[in-house]
Amino acid sequence: MNLFAIASLALLQAQNPFAPPRASLHYAPDRVCDLTNVTVDLNVDYPTRTYTGRAVDTMSPLRDGITQVTLHAGALLEISRVTVDDSPATYKREGRVLMITVPRTVRGKSMRIGIDYKMVNSKAQPFGGLGGFHWIEPQAANPGHVGFWTQGETESNSEWAPTWDYPNDLTTSETRTTVQADWDVIGNGSMISNTLSAEKTKRTVVWRMTQPHATYLLSLCGGPFDIKKDKWEGVDLWYVVPRGEGKYIDDSFGDTKDMLSFYSGVLGVKYAWPKYAEDAMYDFGGGMENVSATTLGANSLTEAREGFRRMASLNAHELGHQWFGDLVTCKDWGDTWLNESFATFMETIYMEHSRGKNAYDQEIDDNTRGYLAEAKRYKRPISTKMYPSGDAMFDSHTYPKGGVLLHTLRRYLGDKPFYDGLNYYLTKWRHTPVESAQLRRSMTEATGINCEPFWAQWIEKPGHPVLDYAWTYDNAAQEVVLTVKQTQDTNDGTPIYDIATKVALIPATGTVMRAPVHLSQKEDTFRIKTVRPGALILDPDHDFLREIPTLHWPAQELPLIMQMATDSVDRAEAMRMLLANSPSDATIQLVAASFRADNSAFPAFRSVRQLSAMNRPELRSLWLEQLTHPNLDRRAEAVTALAGLPADPATTQRLRSMINGQEGIQAVVNAINALAKWDKKGNEDVFRKALTIPSHRDRLKRAAEAALAPG
């Protein structure tokens, strides 16, 4: 390594949170006991923001002669008593670590450690720090904005329930929660009882999970709810939303059964838990895959007029965790990818299943772009022991990069071997905390394909291939001459990749052909016997994670790529390049024809804004046609395109007719804005009509109020 390289590496380390000194080696902590069950009895008093509790942790010693057991308890929990098998026990605390003196242990002879505690007037905040227990505070505009929820990942459940709070030990669990009588409580597993007190002022709800799980997956959600119940293949389904929001349940969760069937089928492992609850809670951001009881943000609730299943991506991700993360759990946070990368990938394949190839292509591209944005700041291995904290592992390497690497592994192995390997992994390591090597061995043992080389370059090293390619045609030899360079910086440990891939040869007319190429050097040259193609694409199916900073696609190749490329992302990029620099009238008409033909509910071209921004009057007929496109986003963009043109009576009437309770909400909002721009006074009647049309978050009412405002 030269001096410049050493200086560059030092700078990278200073910027990289996964390099020393910010990062250090982390290993799963030692255990002296196996936690076999945790029972939590919680009495919640919302008016005083107080709860009292008793946690009983049943422990089975792993060694003889132990006299001290370590558990975890939030530093702000006021502990009043600790018992071992109902006898008083001494203990000491150091931060969140609770060290309990126990009689000298005999291996395998269980003990019950009881801890009585309370939290007084806590102001816990979500996600980290005091994030274990969160009070939902009232709002003047929404009296029903009350309740609570818990959040355990990474190590926050011990903030409200003293226990072993690390994922290297799995346990069964039971919660007994007392709240005010008009509230409900959702927990893990099966509901055992739901009883009112004799005076009917309190309600006590008991939930029991008889299958082992990591303690960070323990969950309680309490408050006034609308609940819809259903069943899927003997599994209870609970759809839980804040009271008054029940009208959004079907549009938000109506595809849950399809997800359960698809995941169970493709993995060959049926959903493992006795019920599945999707709990939409105020103040919660995103989603959390608590075992059998996912917590979701109420702000994610949707209605059909906002677009096709707008909550499906989030729901599919969290449901995917019920296999990857819950049924099989990473042993330490350095292998968080075994949870989150898989959930990201499961979400992606559900999009493929429910929306088709275009949606899958776009998911892979979005995830790639998400990772590449972070890779500009730092690169790290997907599986690592070197990190600053467990929470830091939840980055764009773990989520989007890991999701694309699983797509890469899928394409490397082939669909059947890949899913056979996942079935083997989930079956062999069911209810077990695992490491990355166990997945690698499972894939190898199930398929007979040695996955160690794949792990070595993709999982255990940082970075990604950065490619530059160009081609010429040798007329004499009738061969394409393709040169591919790997230009990634290898000073940080990023390898030169060994990748079997292919090129697409696109003829001026006829069928796209493919030819194999194998990348293995900084620069590879390939000669492919073929008639001269009209265009060439390296890795036409986006089979692996890669960055291609500059696409050397000549202008004459772009129409062919836009029309014939097999990946919708390449088609959209070719379209973007065609429109980039003062396109000719012929080019605009060619693009318009491609948009017309792109009439799927999940189109190849996700956006038409580049063309619509040109404000070409001759495209009015195109945009009017697009108002009935099956994709609601395309309709909304078509309205915006029309708004950029001068008003005419036919267009005005068409947009006025869209102000109704059936059209997509964004299209209606855009129509209101367009009509207000053209003739505020003349369209006042439809704006007043829009004031009365219900919509999620009152979006139509707010748009109409803005249109009616003076000015």
Side-chain angles (χ1 to χ4, degrees):
M1 188 180 294
N2 59 37
L3 290 177
F4 176 77
I6 292 172
S8 298
L9 182 58
L11 179 61
L12 284 171
Q13 288 176 328
Q15 297 172 336
N16 185 352
F18 288 85
R22 294 172 68 182
S24 59
L25 286 171
H26 287 73
Y27 299 96
D30 295 338
R31 297 183 300 137
V32 300
C33 290
D34 176 26
L35 178 65
T36 59
N37 184 71
V38 56
T39 298
V40 182
D41 196 325
L42 207 65
N43 193 319
V44 177
D45 185 62
Y46 184 79
T48 63
R49 307 299 190 273
T50 298
Y51 57 86
T52 59
R54 175 172 174 80
V56 177
D57 294 289
T58 302
M59 316 286 290
S60 178
L62 297 172
R63 299 187 289 279
D64 294 335
I66 300 298
T67 58
Q68 182 173 276
V69 171
T70 296
L71 293 174
H72 303 104
L76 296 183
L77 290 181
E78 299 178 17
I79 295 176
S80 58
R81 186 174 68 133
V82 176
T83 61
V84 176
D85 292 332
D86 298 323
S87 297
T90 60
Y91 63 93
K92 60 181 179 178
R93 303 176 72 174
E94 293 180 4
R96 65 188 290 269
V97 177
L98 180 64
M99 292 161 283
I100 302 160
T101 300
V102 301
R104 187 174 296 274
T105 62
V106 176
R107 176 179 167 83
K109 183 181 179 183
S110 292
M111 69 182 95
R112 296 170 67 255
I113 298 176
I115 303 164
D116 295 324
Y117 60 95
K118 66 179 178 178
M119 175 72 81
V120 177
N121 197 27
S122 62
K123 297 295 182 183
Q125 297 301 312
F127 305 116
L130 300 177
F133 193 101
H134 176 78
W135 298 107
I136 301 170
E137 297 293 343
Q139 293 181 347
N142 182 4
H145 195 274
V146 296
F148 70 88
W149 45 258
T150 65
Q151 165 61 25
E153 196 171 43
T154 50
E155 300 165 35
S156 295
N157 269 340
S158 53
E159 299 290 339
W160 62 274
T163 190
W164 177 261
D165 200 1
Y166 200 83
N168 64 337
D169 196 354
L170 308 188
T171 181
T172 59
S173 64
E174 182 174 310
T175 55
R176 176 186 298 269
T177 311
T178 300
V179 294
Q180 59 200 63
D182 59 339
W183 283 16
D184 287 292
V185 178
I186 312 299
N188 310 99
S190 301
M191 179 184 282
I192 303 304
S193 62
N194 183 348
T195 57
L196 287 173
S197 62
E199 63 277 15
K200 301 191 184 310
T201 59
K202 297 287 186 178
R203 178 182 303 278
T204 299
V205 186
V206 178
W207 290 89
R208 182 179 298 155
M209 174 58 81
T210 60
Q211 297 159 279
H213 59 87
T215 53
Y216 76 85
L217 299 170
L218 195 66
S219 170
L220 291 173
C221 292
F225 299 139
D226 287 341
I227 300 174
K228 180 176 180 177
K229 298 179 185 179
D230 203 347
K231 277 191 179 291
W232 170 85
E233 296 191 11
V235 175
D236 291 329
L237 301 180
W238 291 54
Y239 307 121
V240 182
V241 300
R243 189 167 295 164
E245 302 291 287
K247 55 185 173 292
Y248 300 121
I249 285 176
D250 288 345
D251 290 346
S252 298
F253 303 118
D255 48 0
T256 298
K257 288 184 180 181
D258 185 57
M259 292 179 189
L260 285 161
S261 296
F262 172 66
Y263 287 163
S264 296
V266 75
L267 297 170
V269 176
K270 187 183 176 184
Y271 178 81
W273 315 107
K275 74 116 175 19
Y276 188 55
E278 290 171 297
D279 307 331
M281 300 297 295
Y282 287 131
D283 297 352
F284 200 86
M288 177 61 208
E289 65 275 13
N290 303 304
V291 61
S292 81
T294 285
T295 309
L296 304 152
N299 282 342
S300 296
L301 293 171
T302 188
E303 67 163 298
R305 290 180 297 152
E306 292 183 290
F308 184 80
R309 296 293 184 192
R310 284 295 173 93
M311 206 170 170
S313 182
L314 173 62
N315 293 344
H317 181 103
E318 302 307 334
L319 179 57
H321 268 304
Q322 299 296 318
W323 284 263
F324 298 98
D326 293 10
L327 186 60
V328 178
T329 306
C330 67
K331 190 178 80 172
D332 64 77
W333 301 119
D335 273 329
T336 300
W337 81 281
L338 297 174
N339 300 4
E340 296 297 348
S341 299
F342 268 101
T344 303
F345 176 76
M346 295 295 284
E347 169 193 339
T348 302
I349 63 171
Y350 183 72
M351 295 297 109
E352 180 184 37
H353 160 76
S354 61
R355 306 187 184 192
K357 183 179 183 302
N358 288 340
Y360 184 78
D361 293 344
Q362 293 155 6
E363 287 274 326
I364 296 299
D365 186 63
D366 288 346
N367 285 332
T368 298
R369 291 176 185 273
Y371 156 67
L372 291 177
E374 184 170 88
K376 289 180 171 61
R377 294 191 294 114
Y378 67 86
K379 295 188 286 290
R380 66 165 178 87
I382 291 294
S383 175
T384 182
K385 300 293 185 187
M386 181 69 69
Y387 52 91
S389 68
D391 289 335
M393 291 298 300
F394 294 78
D395 63 358
S396 290
H397 284 64
T398 290
Y399 286 80
K401 181 184 182 181
V404 179
L405 288 186
L406 289 168
H407 157 78
T408 303
L409 181 60
R410 175 191 183 185
R411 293 291 171 84
Y412 172 71
L413 294 174
D415 272 18
K416 189 174 189 313
F418 174 76
Y419 288 114
D420 285 348
L422 296 187
N423 175 276
Y424 183 92
Y425 167 73
L426 291 168
T427 302
K428 183 177 180 66
W429 300 110
R430 186 183 183 100
H431 300 309
T432 306
V434 296
E435 301 173 277
S436 182
Q438 287 163 280
L439 173 63
R440 186 195 73 216
R441 288 188 60 184
S442 293
M443 301 304 286
T444 298
E445 290 170 10
T447 66
I449 300 169
N450 184 6
C451 292
E452 192 167 357
F454 185 95
W455 250 245
Q457 66 178 0
W458 292 110
I459 306 299
E460 296 165 354
K461 289 187 174 66
H464 58 275
V466 181
L467 305 180
D468 186 77
Y469 73 96
W471 68 282
T472 59
Y473 190 70
D474 184 336
N475 285 300
Q478 291 192 312
E479 291 177 331
V480 163
V481 182
L482 170 68
T483 300
V484 183
K485 297 178 182 178
Q486 296 194 42
T487 64
Q488 63 267 21
D489 183 357
T490 57
N491 287 318
D492 61 0
T494 301
I496 296 297
Y497 288 81
D498 187 291
I499 304 166
T501 185
K502 51 189 175 291
V503 295
L505 306 168
I506 303 178
T509 59
T511 305
V512 177
M513 298 177 291
R514 284 172 170 72
V517 295
H518 195 127
L519 310 181
S520 61
Q521 307 295 326
K522 282 189 174 182
E523 182 171 332
D524 288 297
T525 299
F526 308 97
R527 299 185 74 91
I528 303 166
K529 196 77 171 179
T530 182
V531 297
R532 182 184 183 93
L536 180 148
I537 304 175
L538 176 66
D539 183 31
D541 301 307
H542 294 226
D543 286 333
F544 60 93
L545 173 68
R546 78 290 200 281
E547 179 181 8
I548 305 178
T550 303
L551 287 167
H552 304 293
W553 290 349
Q556 65 271 20
E557 294 187 28
L558 296 177
L560 287 171
I561 295 172
M562 181 183 69
Q563 296 173 90
M564 299 180 66
T566 55
D567 191 292
S568 64
V569 173
D570 288 335
R571 294 185 64 200
E573 178 60 19
M575 180 271 290
R576 186 197 66 78
M577 294 171 72
L578 278 168
L579 295 177
N581 298 307
S582 302
S584 66
D585 289 346
T587 295
I588 287 176
Q589 290 304 318
L590 180 66
V591 172
S594 292
F595 283 153
R596 279 192 170 97
D598 186 32
N599 56 11
S600 163
F602 311 105
F605 304 110
R606 284 189 285 182
S607 176
V608 297
R609 291 176 190 171
Q610 192 179 7
L611 184 61
S612 70
M614 294 179 178
N615 297 327
R616 302 284 290 245
E618 68 271 23
L619 296 177
R620 185 185 297 270
S621 63
L622 168 67
W623 304 129
L624 287 169
E625 292 169 17
Q626 297 292 299
L627 294 179
T628 57
H629 196 282
N631 182 275
L632 293 185
D633 292 332
R634 180 71 68 85
R635 292 188 199 180
E637 288 195 358
V639 175
T640 299
L642 289 166
L645 302 177
D648 71 6
T651 304
T652 297
Q653 187 55 40
R654 181 69 182 86
L655 295 195
R656 283 173 58 88
S657 72
M658 296 179 71
I659 314 268
N660 59 59
Q662 293 75 50
E663 184 57 69
I665 290 176
Q666 190 60 56
V668 179
V669 169
N670 292 355
I672 291 171
N673 294 339
L675 293 168
K677 171 186 171 184
W678 289 338
D679 184 0
K680 182 187 285 275
K681 185 68 176 173
N683 291 296
E684 183 176 329
D685 60 324
V686 292
F687 302 153
R688 295 200 178 279
K689 174 185 175 183
L691 290 173
T692 67
I693 301 174
S695 63
H696 192 206
R697 302 192 185 96
D698 287 329
R699 291 181 61 202
L700 298 188
K701 180 181 179 182
R702 288 189 283 112
E705 288 172 341
L708 289 165

